[in-house]
Amino acid sequence: MTSEFDKQSFAENPDWDDDYLLSVTQPSNSSENNSTIIKFYQLSTSDIGERIDKVATQAFHEFSREQIKNWLTSGELTANQQPQKPKYRLKAGDNLYLNATLAIQQDDLPENIPLNIVYEDEDVLVINKPVGMVVHAGAGHLSGTLVNALLYHYPENRVLARAGLVHRIDKDTSGLLIIAKQLQSQLHLINQLKDKSVYRHYQALIFANPEQLNKHRIINLPIARHPTQRTKMAVVSTGKPAITHIDKVTAICDGVSLVDLRLETGRTHQIRVHLSHLGFPLIGDPVYGSTRKLAILLKSLNETQQNVLKNFKRQALHAYELGFIHPQHHHHITVQAKLPNDIQQLIKILNNSFDFIDLKKNEKKY
């Protein structure tokens, strides 16, 4: 559970790292509008002698192993309507009965907020999150979130933790997020994040020239809460491992580069913290930016360039590519979303000759 202190500490950026995995088995305290599940499974010959929890997990595969265990303990999952312990060995003639309640996982209200959907099927959804949208509720952000929008457009997601969210990005970072549309898909995708079979590519506009980044193509620096500024993260020797790859660097103007980055881990504010620590903060970053570097750069720019740069008030960071293994048919899916207009406009003004590559949306690789 997230403590009240944690919520307050990240009131402006209430999105957590991917290691803070969602609990998809803990029921809500509220009993209103819960979903009733009634299922029956007739044993096959091969099931006889097996543990009831093992067979039930396979028979009712849309639910997690932990949820099956909880239902066995509560007596909602039985053998011939008789409660059994998870280690009970099934006998000939035993059949499984599930009569359980799947609790609503959050108290958030549905809100009619548009979603930019770039990929969708019956199991998963990928959206291109705009700048300014908070992913889920936190202190100071109790409505207008992505979760509120999901509950309106996908009301069946109310039984999923965080309405199906699998990972997060900061409020003022734009780009791709994957959402599960059923419990088994959510579990599958969370496991992919743990074993790193989900990959996420970002583009960022930073204070650096390409030659300065040549020795930093792999950034392997641990990250933890800042020791004194509790609303920030920092490179700390005792922190969690954090690895960022710089795959491509494109010069925009003297002192500014567009970088393509790949996350191997998913710590809170990882890209922003890593690049700032090395002396190459993101343009516009209100938390990890550098007023000194901005002042130096402004001296070399014309008036138009100075104005657009000074008025760019959010970190220039975009999650442009997302790849994952489909939780049902196991094909590799890759989805892309081009840089948002505000970053494109900034780049064009800083470098009038820059030629944008129009990334294909909804590209699927099998």
Side-chain angles (χ1 to χ4, degrees):
M1 296 292 291
T2 304
S3 69
E4 190 61 33
F5 174 78
D6 290 335
K7 290 180 180 179
Q8 292 174 352
S9 296
F10 286 94
E12 293 304 315
N13 294 287
D15 299 297
W16 293 83
D17 59 295
D18 293 334
D19 284 355
Y20 187 77
L21 295 176
L22 306 176
S23 169
V24 297
T25 60
Q26 295 300 318
S28 167
N29 291 329
S30 172
S31 61
E32 296 181 2
N33 301 319
N34 293 339
S35 299
T36 299
I37 304 162
I38 300 176
K39 290 180 176 288
F40 169 80
Y41 176 73
Q42 185 172 3
L43 264 62
S44 65
T45 304
S46 61
D47 295 325
I48 297 172
E50 296 287 347
R51 285 175 52 135
I52 188 174
D53 56 349
K54 176 182 176 182
V55 174
T57 299
Q58 296 170 345
F60 308 125
H61 59 84
E62 63 269 40
F63 305 109
S64 69
R65 184 182 297 275
E66 188 66 24
Q67 185 68 79
I68 295 294
K69 181 179 178 180
N70 289 342
W71 283 333
L72 284 167
T73 302
S74 68
E76 294 172 283
L77 175 58
T78 61
N80 293 330
Q81 299 184 344
Q82 295 297 316
Q84 301 291 350
K85 294 181 179 180
K87 64 182 180 180
Y88 170 76
R89 299 282 176 175
L90 292 165
K91 301 179 177 64
D94 282 343
N95 291 302
L96 303 185
Y97 292 86
L98 176 61
N99 187 342
T101 298
L102 190 62
I104 302 301
Q105 293 292 313
Q106 67 280 307
D107 297 324
D108 304 86
L109 297 176
E111 295 181 36
N112 187 5
I113 302 169
L115 293 175
N116 182 359
I117 299 170
V118 296
Y119 177 87
E120 182 175 12
D121 59 30
E122 65 275 12
D123 301 295
V124 297
L125 172 76
V126 180
I127 65 117
N128 186 9
K129 187 190 81 67
V131 173
M133 176 182 274
V134 173
V135 173
H136 59 75
H141 300 281
L142 301 179
S143 64
T145 70
L146 176 56
V147 166
N148 295 123
L150 289 170
L151 292 174
Y152 179 87
H153 296 285
Y154 300 92
E156 62 277 10
N157 275 30
R158 69 191 185 281
V159 299
L160 302 179
R162 300 292 192 191
L165 288 178
V166 175
H167 61 124
R168 297 93 169 203
I169 55 178
D170 296 336
K171 174 172 71 76
D172 287 328
T173 298
S174 57
L176 298 171
L177 280 169
I178 187 169
I179 297 107
K181 295 172 69 175
Q182 53 176 293
L183 180 59
Q184 193 65 25
S185 295
Q186 191 177 30
L187 291 166
H188 194 285
L189 291 165
I190 286 173
N191 286 331
Q192 285 189 51
L193 280 166
K194 291 169 68 176
D195 65 23
K196 299 181 175 60
S197 54
V198 172
Y199 67 86
R200 294 147 295 163
H201 290 209
Y202 290 74
Q203 288 180 309
L205 205 58
I206 68 172
F207 290 102
N209 288 318
E211 58 272 16
Q212 295 176 293
L213 299 172
N214 286 337
K215 62 180 180 180
H216 300 293
R217 292 306 179 105
I218 300 178
I219 308 171
N220 187 352
L221 297 169
I223 290 176
R225 191 78 63 88
H226 195 287
T228 59
Q229 302 178 55
R230 304 298 289 171
T231 61
K232 296 175 64 175
M233 306 299 289
V235 170
V236 179
S237 60
T238 56
K240 293 181 179 180
I243 302 174
T244 303
H245 298 262
I246 300 178
D247 289 338
K248 182 181 179 182
V249 182
T250 304
I252 300 302
C253 66
D254 187 26
V256 177
S257 294
L258 178 68
V259 292
D260 286 34
L261 305 122
R262 174 168 42 93
L263 291 181
E264 186 171 325
T265 56
R267 308 303 176 203
T268 303
H269 303 168
Q270 178 173 317
I271 289 172
R272 299 163 65 190
V273 171
H274 270 171
L275 290 173
S276 178
H277 180 81
L278 295 176
F280 313 122
L282 274 64
I283 285 179
D285 194 327
V287 179
Y288 304 99
S290 170
T291 55
R292 182 182 66 84
K293 285 186 175 292
L294 175 60
I296 293 172
L297 179 61
L298 288 173
K299 293 178 181 179
S300 65
L301 302 177
N302 62 42
E303 185 177 354
T304 300
Q305 292 171 325
Q306 289 176 359
N307 287 336
V308 71
L309 193 59
K310 286 189 290 187
N311 290 321
F312 198 89
K313 299 298 185 181
R314 63 101 168 180
Q315 62 266 14
L317 182 62
H318 176 66
Y320 81 93
E321 184 170 275
L322 179 67
F324 60 96
I325 300 170
H326 194 279
Q328 292 300 325
H329 56 61
H330 305 301
H331 294 154
H332 289 271
I333 305 294
T334 301
V335 183
Q336 296 178 324
K338 66 182 180 181
L339 282 168
N341 290 335
D342 62 341
I343 296 182
Q344 289 204 36
Q345 183 68 12
L346 177 58
I347 291 174
K348 286 178 179 177
I349 290 175
L350 292 177
N351 181 352
N352 292 326
S353 64
F354 190 82
D355 184 20
F356 282 96
I357 299 174
D358 189 12
L359 295 173
K360 296 178 181 179
K361 292 185 178 181
N362 304 345
E363 178 187 349
K364 289 186 277 186
K365 297 180 181 178
Y366 300 116

